[in-house]
Structure formats: C-alpha cells, structure tokens
Amino acid sequence: MLLKPSPAGVALTGLAHAAAAAAALLALPALPAVLCITGIAMSMIAAGGRLLLRSRWSVLGLELHADGTAAWLARDGRWRPAARAAGVALAPWLIALAVEMDGERGTVRTLLVLPDAAEAEGRRRLRAWLRWRPAGATRPDRGESRAAVVQDGGKPFERLN
C-alpha cells in the first residue's frame, strides 16, 4: 500500500497542536509558556513534514505479508523489514499504527493513515491484517522474500531493493 500526502492529517494534527499551545499559554507563566509553545511548533512542523511525505523520516508505503510480517518503504526507495509495536488504534476514519523499524534498534515510527492518505481497499486490507495476523508474528525472518498481501491496482508490489 503506497501512501499519499495527507492534507487532512496536517489539518488534524495542526488543530491538536494549536489546542496544546493554547493550553500552555493559559496555564503557564510567560517564559515557560514561550518555551513550551516553541516545542509544540517544532513538533507541528515535524508532524506536517511526515504527513505530507516530505520528511526524511516519512514512511512512503507499507507492504503486508500473509505470515503477519511487514515491510516499510523508506525515502531512499528501499523496502525494509518492520515489526508492529504495541500501539494500534483503528477507527472508521483513522488508522494509527506504531511500527518498530527492524534494523534501527529502538526506533518506532507512528503512521497515521487517514482516508486521503491511501485508497479505500488498501485501508481495508490494513485493518484486516492488523486484526487477524498471526499472534506470534512480530518480526520478519531475515533474508526471506514473501509475496505481498496488499496490492495496488491488482498487481502485487515489487520490492525495490
């Protein structure tokens, strides 16, 4: 499933960041509020870059496998193995997924998949995969190739590496 830039995601996270900034302004003295709002603004810029797929930390695609493993598409065009971390939130209009980046020790990236970020069929398959994948499948076996379950236009994704 290839992801698209998400203007709706930018708007949603922008509203959340604005609410946090307003709360800091109301609850804190001047100097701590300015420092807090600066951090919130930096967070908003970083989140917007990831949601618009412009950041070097953006995840451009997700490849799901029948055995419960996954891979993510990096900005350099290579698919890398991933393991699902503990955090998953599923709603009809949102999929939030914390993905542990295999090979990047301790790195977890959060993916927000809103309706404008992926095709409906890809989101449906992602929800099904998150609910029904094998319980013991948390990390891929290294060096093994697997057929993609998520497809784009009826054609399986090809690995780019």
Side-chain angles (χ1 to χ4, degrees), residues 44-120:
M44 184 174 69
I45 291 167
R50 285 191 305 270
L51 288 166
L52 292 174
L53 306 181
R54 294 186 179 150
S55 168
R56 71 180 189 143
W57 295 284
S58 295
V59 175
L60 303 181
L62 201 55
E63 182 182 72
L64 310 175
H65 305 120
D67 65 355
T69 60
W72 59 283
L73 180 61
R75 295 279 307 168
D76 63 6
R78 294 189 327 187
W79 289 96
R80 297 197 171 117
R84 188 183 96 193
V88 174
L90 298 174
W93 56 276
L94 170 73
I95 301 170
L97 170 66
V99 178
E100 181 181 334
M101 302 302 166
D102 205 26
E104 294 183 22
R105 191 173 178 97
T107 302
V108 175
R109 297 207 181 139
T110 303
L111 281 78
L112 289 178
V113 182
L114 290 156
D116 67 337
E119 300 297 326

Side-chain angles (χ1 to χ4, degrees), residues 9 95 145 150 158:
I95 301 170
S145 175
V150 173
E158 294 179 18

